[in-house]
Amino acid sequence: MSGPKIEFWYEFASSYSYLSVMRIEALARDAGVAVEWKPFLLGPVFLAMGWNDSPFNIYPPKGRYMWRDLARLADKYALPFRLPSCFPRNGLLAARVALQGVVPGWVAEFSRRVMLANFAEDRDIGDAEVVGAILADLGLPAGELLAAAVTDDNKLALRRQTERASELGMFGAPSFRAGDELFWGNDRLEDALAWARRAAG
Amino acid sequence: MSGPKIEFWYEFASSYSYLSVMRIEALARDAGVAVEWKPFLLGPVFLAMGWNDSPFNIYPPKGRYMWRDLARLADKYALPFRLPSCFPRNGLLAARVALQGVVPGWVAEFSRRVMLANFAEDRDIGDAEVVGAILADLGLPAGELLAAAVTDDNKLALRRQTERASELGMFGAPSFRAGDELFWGNDRLEDALAWARRAAG
């Protein structure tokens, strides 16, 4: 017997992923839905669409709107927000580290700390010192995990997860999957959870 | 003294505009917010972003997702939906006609009929016969209104409204304005209404 569950696909550089990373655990618990955390990289996914940068940078009106929308939504959800001095930041190292936290279960708390560093504290999450400090704060062996993050096996695992995102039809983050059903955007988090519950009967 | 109000910017060819055209009047009435209907054209707005077609056609994964998302949302809102055999349809004539319905007040009902024709009945809303039949159904003088739609003054009025959309920072539809605050997408309709209420005290 398996209960309702959703896959949560997110990227540490993604502004709307920030909102979902902060919101998903409490909402999923209330809904009785298990969450599989799936960090991946938007860069290759965007490249396949012909974008070599965030669409929020390529299309300035979209970017201006996004930052205002994000500030309003952070306010609505009572989340801290500070405009990052650099966007998008490089989420590669954080994603490689996060992948190692899925089985032992610290991926959720690690992901929240990294997102807060990026979107509330204006820290460079692409810097190994910043990521290491977050791991140490969580009582995890920072040096060991940073070294394990850049092994060939772990690099390949993240590359495969990113390829899988494109294969599953994803084109942005955050995305959610409930069974074969794809939901895109922080706005669809509640709908994805409801779908997973209904699908599980 | 003026009560709360929002501007509702929409395009007849736009799939997510369909959802908002069908939903806005009841929601705004319940919220005590007046609605100013602002039909405009996405074509010139998209061209300014470098797109010569709907982004849902330019980026196939976005398009595939959008149609599934739209079907799910129509279901959620209990709205009829049939996949159009042509997308995007030409919304120019309907927008020109709609503009004439703003002052006399038939713009809302006319807009709902045109949207249903496009997204629930798979009819060609670019065809003057289809638009004329909708006007006649509403008891309006179809021939007279179709002729007035293509006068230079009316064409210019729609062109100016479309230019104004870009000036106001819009890059898609539906969009909503509450005071100087811009909201984009059917997902933000409720937030825009709440903002208008708060802003009006």
Side-chain angles (χ1 to χ4, degrees):
Chain A
M1 187 194 109
S2 76
K5 64 172 186 179
I6 61 168
E7 293 174 5
F8 171 36
W9 295 73
Y10 63 105
E11 143 82 81
F12 287 103
S14 149
S15 49
Y16 288 106
S17 290
Y18 165 50
L19 303 178
S20 290
V21 161
M22 301 306 288
R23 299 193 317 122
I24 194 168
E25 211 166 52
L27 288 173
R29 191 176 48 232
D30 290 351
V33 174
V35 179
E36 287 182 36
W37 292 67
K38 302 272 192 185
F40 76 113
L41 298 178
L42 274 181
V45 173
F46 282 171
L47 265 184
M49 317 266 285
W51 301 326
N52 60 0
D53 192 357
S54 162
F56 295 126
N57 290 340
I58 297 175
Y59 305 109
K62 281 182 91 83
R64 276 189 292 272
Y65 173 77
M66 179 275 283
W67 291 116
R68 179 65 191 136
D69 191 46
L70 202 74
R72 282 191 311 234
L73 291 172
D75 206 47
K76 177 173 163 175
Y77 299 136
L79 293 172
F81 170 67
R82 191 194 303 174
L83 189 68
S85 55
C86 170
F87 178 83
R89 287 217 166 89
N90 190 337
L92 175 61
L93 178 63
R96 285 175 173 167
V97 170
L99 214 51
Q100 301 171 79
V102 172
V103 171
W106 48 261
V107 63
E109 184 59 21
F110 171 77
S111 298
R112 285 190 290 267
R113 299 283 187 113
V114 173
M115 284 301 203
L116 286 169
N118 194 4
F119 293 104
E121 298 154 10
D122 196 22
R123 289 157 71 199
D124 181 5
I125 61 161
D127 184 334
E129 280 192 32
V130 170
V131 175
I134 290 170
L135 289 168
D137 269 0
L138 295 176
L140 294 165
E144 193 180 302
L145 289 167
L146 287 172
V150 293
T151 59
D152 284 348
D153 274 3
N154 195 61
K155 287 177 175 178
L156 186 62
L158 182 62
R159 201 172 311 137
R160 290 218 168 119
Q161 185 132 298
T162 296
E163 286 164 3
R164 184 80 184 127
S166 282
E167 285 163 18
L168 291 170
M170 289 176 214
F171 50 87
S175 293
F176 312 94
R177 292 218 323 146
D180 288 335
E181 206 73 24
L182 179 65
F183 295 84
W184 172 54
N186 173 69
D187 296 318
R188 292 287 176 282
L189 171 51
E190 286 84 351
D191 284 355
L193 290 169
W195 194 281
R197 279 176 64 92
R198 277 199 308 273
Chain B
M1 189 193 105
S2 76
K5 66 171 183 178
I6 61 168
E7 294 175 5
F8 171 36
W9 294 74
Y10 63 104
E11 144 81 82
F12 287 104
S14 149
S15 49
Y16 289 105
S17 290
Y18 165 51
L19 303 178
S20 290
V21 162
M22 301 306 288
R23 300 196 311 127
I24 194 167
E25 210 165 52
L27 288 173
R29 190 176 48 233
D30 290 350
V33 174
V35 179
E36 287 182 35
W37 291 67
K38 301 274 191 183
F40 76 112
L41 298 179
L42 273 181
V45 174
F46 283 170
L47 265 184
M49 317 267 284
W51 301 327
N52 60 359
D53 191 355
S54 164
F56 296 125
N57 290 339
I58 296 175
Y59 306 108
K62 280 181 92 83
R64 277 189 292 272
Y65 173 78
M66 179 275 283
W67 290 116
R68 179 64 191 140
D69 192 46
L70 202 74
R72 281 191 312 234
L73 290 172
D75 206 46
K76 176 174 164 173
Y77 299 136
L79 294 171
F81 170 68
R82 191 195 304 174
L83 189 68
S85 55
C86 170
F87 178 84
R89 287 217 165 88
N90 190 336
L92 175 62
L93 179 62
R96 285 174 173 165
V97 171
L99 215 51
Q100 300 172 79
V102 172
V103 172
W106 48 260
V107 63
E109 184 60 21
F110 171 77
S111 297
R112 285 190 290 266
R113 299 283 188 111
V114 172
M115 284 300 203
L116 287 168
N118 194 4
F119 293 104
E121 297 155 11
D122 196 23
R123 289 157 71 198
D124 181 6
I125 60 161
D127 183 335
E129 281 192 31
V130 170
V131 175
I134 289 170
L135 290 168
D137 268 0
L138 295 177
L140 295 163
E144 193 180 300
L145 289 167
L146 287 171
V150 294
T151 58
D152 284 347
D153 275 3
N154 194 61
K155 287 178 176 178
L156 186 61
L158 181 62
R159 201 173 311 139
R160 290 216 169 121
Q161 184 133 297
T162 295
E163 287 164 1
R164 184 78 184 127
S166 283
E167 286 163 18
L168 292 170
M170 289 176 214
F171 51 87
S175 292
F176 312 95
R177 292 220 321 147
D180 289 334
E181 206 73 23
L182 180 64
F183 295 84
W184 172 54
N186 173 68
D187 295 316
R188 292 287 176 282
L189 171 50
E190 285 84 351
D191 285 355
L193 291 169
W195 194 281
R197 279 176 64 92
R198 276 198 308 272

